[in-house]
Amino acid sequence: MKMNSAVLAFLAVLLAAVTLQAQVAERPMPRIAKKDGRYALMVDNAPYLMLGAQVHNSSSWPSVQTKVWPAMEYLHVNTVEMPVYWEQLEPRQGEFDYALVDNLLKEARAHQVRLVLLWFGTWKNGSQHYMPEWAKLDPARFPHMIGRDGQAVDSPSPHSAAALEADKAAFTALMRHLKEADPQRTVLMVQVENEAGAWGSVRDFSPVAQKLFDAPVPKELLAAMKVKTETPTPNWLAAFGPDADEYFHAWSVAKYIGQVAAAGKAAYPLPMYANAALRNPLHPGAAGEPGTQGSYESGGPTDNVLGIWKVAAPALDVLAPDDYENDDASYLKVMELYHRDDNPLFVPETGGAGKERFFFTALGLQTIGFSPFGLDYTHRAASRSLNQGEPNRPQEEFLAPWAMNYRLIGPMMREVARLNFEGRLQAVAEEQGRVVRTLPFGAWEAIVSFGAARNNRGAGNPVPQGRALVAQLEDGSFLVTGYFCRVDFRPAGTEQQRKTQNIVIGTQQNPSAMIEGKWLHRQFLRVEEGGYENGAFKAQRIWNGDETDWGLDFGEEPVVLRVSLGTY
Ligand code: DGJ
């Protein structure tokens, strides 16, 4: 058949349009960036803060459960963490079913949120419960660990080459599919396995594992851990003494997961992370010794083996704490320990009444995301595992303290992420006994007080729930927001003056300081309440008089201020 030139020209235009459409639809790859020691998750080429929530383990199969979306909307999340299950993805070896993943993509897009997918593969909470049936029925290729007593443990051995290859193949298939199905980059990150490690034994004592344990420790690990022994090729016991069992298991699990991650990344290089069931950072017990005080899961990225994981699994961008610590001091210590020069802070799971305010502490540690767990059920269901002993409350009341965070930060998420990446932002939450906090910003100090009385002397809120965020926009101009707190500012002099002068802090008037013999008092030049629209701050109300005379007070309503300061 002959085509005339008009038809050919039309087809060429059509082809160009289709190609252009495909190009337009393909968004930049999400990635983790580092600058001046600070990290950001870059989404669509700009810093992004994951205001997240994780659904319950069984909430996305066979389809997203009905309570998920209303809860997510109420919470104002921008990112939802959802599991993808090996047993669903590969019901028969080599045959893949992408229906669940495709449904998650479709639903997330319809609800205008991004996703973090959780690969429930070889490990889920230390066990292999999400392995497909064909793997569960083949213990020769998919062996359980063997405990010290010779009994099988409810945890997969990391020493099976066949299991590793099978997991790599399945995970790679998932990533390859995402590459094709998600040019919009609905999925921002992937968690490789879930809380890997073993609860029931410190390591695998099978003959295969024992042989490796008695063999020399890999050189790169010795170098990274700066191990000095008489022999240059020590085995695990010689190199690490009483920590040998635990370090060996951490290395073995990390090495396995690092290879799964690398294989997936080769197909589609999304940022990847592993999450940790923590050990108590202040009073740790022993790894994998069930029934003993403080015993914790052995082999996962707990704070004491982060260095091992970094060497063993370089394909992982982040090692992330599931922060469920009960007491505030432990909870906060965890975030400090995972905020490292070689590791951005990301809190992929958290929970517990009263812990909501620590989202602000995480912001102060430049977190790239924060994600309470299991908020898609009623409190009654959630209380089974997470909030024992608390009275049942209606779902909205249970969600409200979490929702407050995202309702406030959501509309200016991009600005907050950018200011944090640029090192201009500080944020704090109320802690027992720390009711006044001073945040240094060069020539100014922000004074945050909780349960404020006159002169910024905090008394603490009746229930500690205060949260504050201050970011420097220009020299004397700040973005200020928070809940249940008062924020004020005091002149701090230049860096040179702070070093050489004895700066006297005034107490009697507006916040003031005597610098080089001269009193400088804070003066509000302009205080605007408003918010960001398309990247620009829009003022809706000007504060003065009663609203500014005692400092800037934040209650339970979401209020954002832009403040310009001078001195007299
Ligand atoms: C931590 C796990 O990672 C989650 O999948 C879930 O099991 C929670 N614990 C709470 O039960």
Side-chain angles (χ1 to χ4, degrees), residues 98-216:
Y98 299 110
L100 185 141
V101 181
D102 289 341
N103 187 48
L104 295 185
L105 292 174
K106 192 180 94 200
E107 293 227 14
R109 287 172 194 151
H111 290 89
Q112 297 180 324
V113 295
R114 304 308 256 279
L115 290 175
V116 169
L117 294 184
L118 317 172
W119 174 235
F120 286 8
T122 299
W123 283 273
K124 160 66 173 89
N125 292 22
S127 300
Q128 64 233 77
H129 300 177
Y130 284 89
M131 274 187 184
E133 201 174 309
W134 52 264
K136 286 184 184 137
L137 293 173
D138 188 355
R141 291 169 64 221
F142 299 90
H144 283 77
M145 274 171 53
I146 303 296
R148 211 187 285 274
D149 59 1
Q151 296 302 312
V153 176
D154 185 13
S155 189
S157 165
H159 303 293
S160 163
L164 171 60
E165 286 314 309
D167 192 330
K168 272 165 64 179
F171 187 63
T172 304
L174 169 66
M175 296 309 293
R176 204 176 284 135
H177 181 72
L178 281 181
K179 183 182 178 183
E180 271 169 29
D182 191 26
Q184 300 92 318
R185 318 299 182 208
T186 302
V187 178
L188 302 180
M189 262 176 102
V190 178
Q191 179 186 292
V192 191
E193 318 293 340
N194 188 88
E195 292 195 349
W199 289 93
S201 175
V202 62
R203 71 168 169 94
D204 188 4
F205 290 86
S206 68
V208 178
Q210 191 59 41
K211 205 166 155 204
L212 291 167
F213 184 74
D214 293 333

Side-chain angles (χ1 to χ4, degrees), residues 16 43 64 116 145 156 179 193 204 214 231 248 260 284 383 390 406-407 418 431 439 449-450 473 518 523 536 539:
V43 174
V64 179
V116 169
M145 274 171 53
K179 183 182 178 183
E193 318 293 340
D204 188 4
D214 293 333
T231 143
F248 172 72
V260 175
S383 70
E390 267 193 80
Y406 299 168
R407 191 153 49 113
R418 178 179 54 77
E431 295 169 41
L439 313 177
S449 38
F450 299 110
L473 302 172
K518 187 167 176 252
Q523 181 165 220

Side-chain angles (χ1 to χ4, degrees), residues 54 57 124-125 194-195 275 322 324 349 373 385-386:
Q54 182 171 143
N57 297 161
K124 160 66 173 89
N125 292 22
N194 188 88
E195 292 195 349
N275 63 332
D322 290 350
Y324 294 105
E349 289 185 38
F373 176 86
S385 56
L386 297 182

